[in-house]
Amino acid sequence: MIVVGGEALVDLVPGDPLDSTVDGGLRALLPRLGGGPYNVALAAGRLGVPAAFLSRVSTDRFGDAMVERLHASAVDTSLLQRGDEPTTLAVVALDAKGAARYTFYVEGTADRLVADPGPLPDAVTALSLGTLGMVLEPGASAYEAMLRREAARGVLTVLDPNIREALITDPAAYRARFASWLPDVRLLKISDDDAAWLTEGADPVAAAKTWIESGVDAVVLTRGADGVAVITAAGELAHVPSRKVDVVDTIGAGDTVQGALLAWLHTRQVTDLASLDSGAWREALGFAAKAASITVSRSGAEPPTSADMAAVV
């Protein structure tokens, strides 16, 4: 089973520009259930692999809707914690190309108060973490403890830092903390922009090689219109181009890549990334890129199902 840990929140996304507006010409905001790790769990569950979501979710109406959507996507909620704190909100602004910028409302919200559940069940083969879950305390320390403990027992650990710069009050301290996680991370999935932020402007491929020297087995780089690439400790380098689609917005694209990679690895029972050659990596990246192309063709984070994938040539 795959366990995905991190925040679940509500994205408030601009509606149709032809809809009614409020004072100042602002577009109406529509609620979309999301959060990077939440989207990863949905993507994996919809692709037919056993996936569980580990977080703390509010008992408010948003939280209830999140749990219902997890169940509808075949995601296990046995590790989910509930609390009466409010749901985290993210107000989304889209640029002309559909790229998202976020403003967060996180004070006293449920997901940041997640507690360490202790050792995960023996059936867990992969643990995926990232985004705000690895930033906001006290939850970040709980997830960090899980990362180190599960890595020590041989679980495939996966990290996507998915940087939200507005919530990182001390960039130097976060960069140092990120570096401290790397010996316990087997697969690092990261965007070019996040790689540049973490290294203060270094070339992403060069940064990936440095992270591999720190102990990571493979680094998957999402490169926007330039596709997806991987650099491994074994010296493998593979790349697949992005698929051409009409982009509605990019919300959840990287999360879909991560969920699809987890699904691909689980289906093939891959727990040792060193066993994959460049051909296998191209297959894995192609599967993930295809899934992401479906997500960006939809409004909000709506990862595809297995049936959606089969319907796209």
Side-chain angles (χ1 to χ4, degrees), residues 3 18-19 38 41-42 55 60 75 122 146 159 173 177 179 199 205-206 232 239 271 275 294 309:
V3 171
L18 298 179
D19 288 344
Y38 181 83
L42 288 180
S55 186
D60 64 16
V75 177
D122 291 342
M146 293 179 218
L159 175 69
R177 193 174 190 183
T199 58
V205 173
T232 75
H239 170 265
T271 56
S275 67
I294 296 173
M309 293 286 281

Side-chain angles (χ1 to χ4, degrees), residues 24-74:
L26 298 172
R27 290 160 61 179
L29 295 175
L30 305 176
R32 295 285 186 265
L33 305 181
Y38 181 83
N39 295 335
V40 172
L42 288 180
R46 291 182 180 186
L47 291 171
V49 298
F53 186 52
L54 170 56
S55 186
R56 182 178 175 89
V57 171
S58 178
T59 54
D60 64 16
R61 183 65 189 93
F62 287 143
D64 289 344
M66 287 175 182
V67 174
E68 291 169 9
R69 192 170 182 230
L70 289 168
H71 290 160
S73 300

Side-chain angles (χ1 to χ4, degrees), residues 3-5 53-56 78-81 113-121 124 127 129 139 141-147 149-150:
V3 171
V4 184
F53 186 52
L54 170 56
S55 186
R56 182 178 175 89
S78 60
L79 295 172
L80 201 62
Q81 303 164 22
L113 299 178
V114 66
D116 183 351
L120 297 178
V124 173
L127 172 66
L129 300 170
S141 291
Y143 287 125
E144 182 178 281
M146 293 179 218
L147 173 69
R149 184 174 60 240
E150 298 305 311

Side-chain angles (χ1 to χ4, degrees), residues 44-307:
R46 291 182 180 186
L47 291 171
V49 298
F53 186 52
L54 170 56
S55 186
R56 182 178 175 89
V57 171
S58 178
T59 54
D60 64 16
R61 183 65 189 93
F62 287 143
D64 289 344
M66 287 175 182
V67 174
E68 291 169 9
R69 192 170 182 230
L70 289 168
H71 290 160
S73 300
V75 177
D76 186 310
T77 57
S78 60
L79 295 172
L80 201 62
Q81 303 164 22
R82 304 295 300 272
D84 60 6
E85 308 84 12
T87 295
T88 295
L89 300 178
V91 178
V92 182
L94 301 175
D95 66 19
K97 296 182 179 179
R101 179 169 51 85
Y102 299 86
T103 302
F104 293 96
Y105 297 85
V106 300
E107 191 63 34
T109 51
D111 48 7
R112 68 184 300 170
L113 299 178
V114 66
D116 183 351
L120 297 178
D122 291 342
V124 173
T125 56
L127 172 66
S128 174
L129 300 170
T131 319
L132 305 187
M134 302 301 284
V135 174
L136 299 176
E137 295 291 2
S141 291
Y143 287 125
E144 182 178 281
M146 293 179 218
L147 173 69
R148 300 196 190 285
R149 184 174 60 240
E150 298 305 311
R153 75 177 186 93
V155 167
L156 175 63
T157 48
V158 185
L159 175 69
D160 178 4
N162 204 7
I163 300 299
R164 299 292 182 248
E165 188 174 352
L167 289 176
I168 299 177
T169 56
D170 187 340
Y174 178 86
R175 291 178 178 118
R177 193 174 190 183
F178 168 80
S180 77
W181 298 328
L182 297 178
D184 295 308
V185 174
R186 304 280 60 79
L187 174 61
L188 176 65
K189 199 284 292 180
I190 189 167
S191 71
D192 273 1
D193 288 344
D194 288 349
W197 186 88
L198 282 163
T199 58
E200 299 183 85
D203 173 77
V205 173
K209 292 178 179 178
T210 299
W211 293 328
I212 284 171
E213 291 173 359
S214 298
V216 178
D217 291 339
V219 178
V220 169
L221 292 171
T222 55
R223 321 203 72 177
D226 292 328
V228 188
V230 66
I231 299 93
T232 75
E236 297 287 357
L237 177 62
H239 170 265
V240 298
S242 294
R243 294 171 62 91
K244 303 299 182 183
V245 297
D246 292 329
V247 176
V248 174
D249 65 53
T250 61
I251 300 171
D255 308 327
T256 301
V257 168
Q258 183 155 335
L261 283 173
L262 288 166
W264 190 94
L265 292 167
H266 186 276
T267 299
R268 288 152 185 80
Q269 299 182 329
V270 176
T271 56
D272 180 7
L273 300 180
S275 67
L276 300 178
D277 61 17
S278 58
W281 273 114
R282 279 191 292 272
E283 181 183 339
L285 298 182
F287 182 78
K290 181 178 179 179
S293 74
I294 296 173
T295 297
V296 301
S297 69
R298 303 167 170 177
S299 176
E302 283 292 346
T305 63
S306 295

